[in-house]
Amino acid sequence: MPIRAVLWDIDDTLFDYTGADAAGLARHLRDEGLGDRYGTPSEALALWRKATELHWGRFSAGEVTFQGQRQDRVRDFLGEPALTAAEADAWFERYVGHYRAAWTLFPDVLPVLDALAGSHRHGVLSNSSEANQDPKLRHLGLRDRFEVLVCAAELGVSKPDTAAFLAACAALGLPPAEVAYVGDQPEIDARGARDAGLTAVWLDRDGRRGPGPGGVHRIEGLGQLPGLLAADTRFGARSGIR
């Protein structure tokens, strides 16, 4: 079957989340008087990302609410477990102000969306929340590009669970065999999409992340996507399937 639609991941696929996170955290720590507390900016970011991964995993497993994982990230990062919910929320919101100021798209995003606008439908499947991702897409000028926005917080299940991908396909009204998924995570995005029956496209921007899972298509920039979708993406050697 031809690929009729593309489902997209957002963070570090369309939107430079890592760059915005690094810049936002550095500015936030400076304003909070914590610029030297964690060593270098890269060391501080590593600790922040470690807390993010830990508590996002708890949220994905249904162990904590979306807001709760934010609060716990702040408590862990600051080393202040007794911080109240209101105090943690306030600290996080101050960070978010700096983070949002650094929001930007990758330069290959608009050209590929333009190139595919007439040939494919488009939607988003994110492991975040609509309350978080809808404003982001609108700020970046992308929301009208996507027919559907499906997010884990509202769905009740997250990638790489097959149910998340199938729900996004259902929102488009298409079977998985007619949908491609593009994301930057080889396991959460690519393997999850593959296992759900979608054409899985792993965006490996730095090209240095190992072989990745089998049966997925690996690209190093979105400029490669139109050619991949135009080829026989399920069986053709031209597509770079791994």
Side-chain angles (χ1 to χ4, degrees):
M1 291 184 183
I3 301 301
R4 301 185 185 279
V6 181
L7 282 168
W8 297 86
D9 173 57
I10 298 177
D11 296 340
D12 282 332
T13 297
L14 301 172
F15 156 68
D16 186 3
Y17 168 72
T18 294
D21 196 27
L25 182 66
R27 292 168 187 163
H28 179 48
L29 293 181
R30 178 199 63 202
D31 284 2
E32 297 286 309
L34 300 173
D36 298 325
R37 178 173 176 177
Y38 298 96
T40 67
S42 61
E43 289 172 327
L45 181 63
L47 290 172
W48 178 242
R49 296 302 290 269
K50 182 179 179 180
T52 298
E53 290 172 9
L54 170 63
H55 295 294
W56 191 263
R58 294 174 59 231
F59 164 69
S60 297
E63 298 173 6
V64 66
T65 65
F66 182 78
Q67 197 65 23
Q69 60 84 23
R70 285 184 166 188
Q71 295 161 1
D72 288 341
R73 284 159 64 184
V74 173
R75 293 182 181 111
D76 272 7
F77 181 71
L78 294 178
E80 298 181 22
L83 209 64
T84 68
E87 290 168 335
D89 286 342
W91 194 96
F92 196 93
E93 285 305 313
R94 294 194 297 274
Y95 151 75
V96 166
H98 294 291
Y99 163 64
R100 285 178 176 164
W103 283 359
T104 187
L105 295 173
F106 288 105
D108 54 4
V109 171
L110 292 179
V112 77
L113 288 175
D114 287 342
L116 296 175
S119 58
H120 294 78
R121 298 166 60 195
H122 297 272
V124 167
L125 171 61
S126 168
N127 266 3
S128 185
S129 70
E130 289 183 24
N132 189 46
Q133 300 293 48
D134 185 87
K136 182 189 295 177
L137 291 174
R138 293 186 187 280
H139 177 87
L140 295 169
L142 292 185
R143 183 63 185 90
D144 291 344
R145 301 270 190 161
F146 304 111
E147 294 181 32
V148 299
L149 170 60
V150 179
C151 293
E154 290 75 22
L155 189 61
V157 65
S158 59
K159 301 177 295 182
D161 194 306
T162 295
F165 293 95
L166 297 182
C169 290
L172 286 169
L174 292 173
E178 295 183 6
V179 181
Y181 190 83
V182 182
D184 69 296
Q185 294 295 320
E187 297 296 326
I188 293 173
D189 293 323
R191 187 187 297 275
R194 181 204 67 186
D195 291 349
L198 290 75
T199 293
V201 183
W202 172 31
L203 176 60
D204 180 18
R205 288 190 180 276
D206 61 22
R208 299 189 299 271
R209 298 176 64 184
V216 308
H217 303 273
R218 179 177 180 175
I219 59 176
E220 294 182 5
L222 292 180
Q224 297 172 255
L225 186 62
L228 188 154
L229 294 177
D232 183 351
T233 57
R234 291 188 179 275
F235 304 104
R238 286 188 299 156
S239 66
I241 196 166
R242 300 294 177 119

